[in-house]
Amino acid sequence: MTTTTTTGTGAAALDAPGRSFRPLAGVLAATVVSVTGTRVSAIALPWFVLATTGSATMTGLVAFAEMAPYVAVKALTGPLVDRLGPRVVSWTTDAVSAVTAGLVPLLHARGLLPFWALLVMVAVIGAMRGPGDLAKSVMVPEAADRARVPMERATGLSGVTERLASTIGPAVGGGLVALIGPLAGLAVNAATFALGSLIIAVALPRGMGRPAVPAVAAEPSAEEQPAGYWRMFREGFTFLRSEPLLLTVIVMIGITNLIDAGFTTVLVPVWARESGNGPAAIGLATAVMGATAVVGSLIAAAVASRLPRRTVFFAGFLLCGAPRFLVLALDAPMWLVLTVFAIGGFGAGFLNPILGAVLFERVPRHLLGRVHALGDSLSWAGIPLGGLVAGAAVATVGLIPGLIAGGALYFATTTLAGLRPEWREMDRFRGHAGSAVQAGGAADAADDSEPAHCA
């Protein structure tokens, strides 16, 4: 018996009466609001912990408390996003995050926020952010279908919104922390969660973000009934391990994410404090990097479909990686710090559009939530440890050696990974948005018990 598979995304595109940019605009708006709040919190929360405890180690512990649940819950909620639908998951998780984030400044103001309670609340926010971010990302292909734009352009626009938020968020966060205090930044974070939830729940068109539902061509048999949670999870895992390119990407990004997490949550705040530049310098440097990343993402959205992905990808990492660590380690003047961050942001702007396009092209739509969740969680697995490792490094050897070691490891990782042969596959399914992979037999890999072998 032949079985065909459709998803909420594919069906929506086929049923849409005409071209509409509203879904894509809605998803991008919710994303920019969510990321803006997260970037504000990324400055306010570490500074709040440093100001109240004076400990780099405790600052790293708070970062761990947020990111460990983020990674773990995100890994396990892929099947639920496919089953319940990304729209429901997105607005409900953002609503819970809004309430929890709003309680942090409220309880602190009343003297009812011991450190252990802060860790618990930060962990709840991280646990909700994981599936919420996943759900928004999963809706991008459907939004691209409805807008009838190439996948690489849609992921490029998604990258632009993320980079734009990465510019606005640090600028707002740094200014608020410097002028009013870190609690104001935490309050803004709660408000952005609430707004993001409202956009997804109300602003998107009806039928957007429906569950991925198997549609059978004839009377369904027992094997064609909706799969259980663990079977859905296993199908996503088996598909992922059959893709050497995606696995190589995950390993490399996992290492760079670990280093970046330590850089952002510990090394930069400690540098700002020891150099006397203060939280405003964090916001300024991050905003400059975000602004040039927006430019890079805009260029990627316009022309990346015609550029060699492998060359552009590793050139971007060369610009945005190690130089940031070294310029801080050299105690360079602020104008040079801003210049290096600006160049790095431009290179970083090309990364996510390429990675997003590769993922959406290679993964069948009905597996997208599961594979995306597993891939993101594995590549983010080191992030909870980043703050702990950086905090321990600063406490043990000091800031400067920690910055130099981080930059050297970043350069080695991105350089050595680029020698792997799997990267030649980056352009294989360009422009097919998952359908070519599915038609080409990758869907059969879900039933293949043999592990993938890399050359």
Side-chain angles (χ1 to χ4, degrees):
M1 182 180 298
T2 303
T3 302
T4 59
T5 304
T6 62
T7 68
T9 55
L14 293 175
D15 294 339
R19 185 178 192 182
S20 173
F21 289 99
R22 178 184 169 189
L24 185 58
V27 172
L28 296 182
T31 299
V32 75
V33 167
S34 175
V35 175
T36 297
T38 300
R39 296 297 184 268
V40 170
S41 178
I43 293 178
L45 186 58
W47 200 261
F48 171 71
V49 178
L50 277 174
T52 54
T53 68
S55 170
T57 301
M58 295 182 78
T59 303
L61 184 60
V62 170
F64 175 83
E66 179 178 11
M67 295 312 303
Y70 180 101
V71 172
V73 174
K74 191 174 188 178
L76 295 173
T77 51
L80 296 180
V81 171
D82 286 339
R83 176 67 61 84
L84 300 176
R87 181 175 188 162
V88 170
V89 173
S90 179
W91 76 259
T92 53
T93 54
D94 278 357
V96 174
S97 295
V99 173
T100 308
L103 287 174
V104 173
L106 179 63
L107 293 177
H108 178 75
R110 294 177 176 269
L112 300 175
L113 188 66
F115 187 70
W116 67 264
L118 176 64
L119 293 178
V120 171
M121 299 180 78
V122 166
V124 171
I125 295 172
M128 293 298 101
R129 273 187 55 214
D133 289 353
L134 170 67
K136 293 179 186 66
S137 181
V138 166
M139 285 189 283
V140 170
E142 177 183 359
D145 287 344
R146 289 172 177 253
R148 298 180 184 175
V149 300
M151 190 59 60
E152 207 153 24
R153 184 161 298 169
T155 57
L157 291 173
S158 179
V160 169
T161 60
E162 292 178 8
R163 302 299 182 180
L164 182 62
S166 297
T167 303
I168 298 172
V172 172
L176 283 174
V177 171
L179 295 176
I180 305 177
L183 292 181
L186 298 178
V188 168
N189 187 32
T192 57
F193 276 127
L195 181 57
S197 177
L198 187 64
I199 291 173
I200 294 296
V202 177
L204 294 185
R206 295 182 61 184
M208 177 84 178
R210 294 178 294 181
V213 181
V216 297
E219 184 177 348
S221 65
E223 294 182 353
E224 292 164 346
Q225 298 300 321
Y229 171 86
W230 289 113
R231 178 181 171 186
M232 294 176 70
F233 186 90
R234 185 173 63 252
E235 287 174 348
F237 178 80
T238 307
F239 176 86
L240 183 60
R241 73 175 187 174
S242 73
E243 284 284 328
L245 174 59
L246 295 183
L247 291 176
T248 302
V249 169
I250 287 169
V251 172
M252 188 191 81
I253 299 300
I255 298 173
T256 59
N257 277 344
L258 184 152
I259 304 170
D260 277 326
F263 182 78
T264 302
T265 61
V266 175
L267 297 180
V268 172
V270 173
W271 164 81
R273 186 181 64 176
E274 293 189 358
S275 66
N277 290 310
I282 305 175
L284 180 60
T286 311
V288 166
M289 187 171 183
T292 55
V294 170
V295 176
S297 295
L298 284 171
I299 296 174
V303 303
S305 59
R306 301 190 294 273
L307 298 176
R309 286 177 173 172
R310 182 180 182 181
T311 301
V312 173
F313 184 73
F314 286 101
F317 261 120
L318 184 64
L319 294 177
C320 76
R324 291 175 296 143
F325 294 78
L326 298 181
V327 74
L328 298 187
L330 294 173
D331 195 24
M334 196 62 195
W335 69 265
L336 184 56
V337 171
L338 296 179
T339 300
V340 171
F341 273 60
I343 295 172
F346 180 77
F350 288 84
L351 302 180
N352 285 347
I354 292 175
L355 287 177
V358 170
L359 174 71
F360 293 138
E361 288 168 358
R362 302 186 75 86
V363 181
R365 291 290 179 86
H366 71 289
L367 295 176
L368 187 56
R370 284 158 274 180
V371 175
H372 199 344
L374 286 169
D376 272 9
S377 298
L378 291 172
S379 63
W380 283 48
I383 291 181
L385 301 175
L388 293 177
V389 172
V394 171
T396 304
V397 300
L399 176 63
I400 304 303
L403 285 167
I404 294 174
L409 182 58
Y410 210 112
F411 178 78
T413 299
T414 54
T415 301
L416 295 176
L419 302 178
R420 297 288 304 177
E422 291 86 358
W423 297 101
R424 300 171 189 153
E425 292 281 305
M426 291 190 87
D427 291 293
R428 183 180 176 190
F429 296 111
R430 186 189 286 264
H432 289 288
S435 58
V437 181
Q438 190 174 10
D444 296 334
D447 298 320
D448 185 2
S449 60
E450 292 299 320
H453 297 281
C454 299

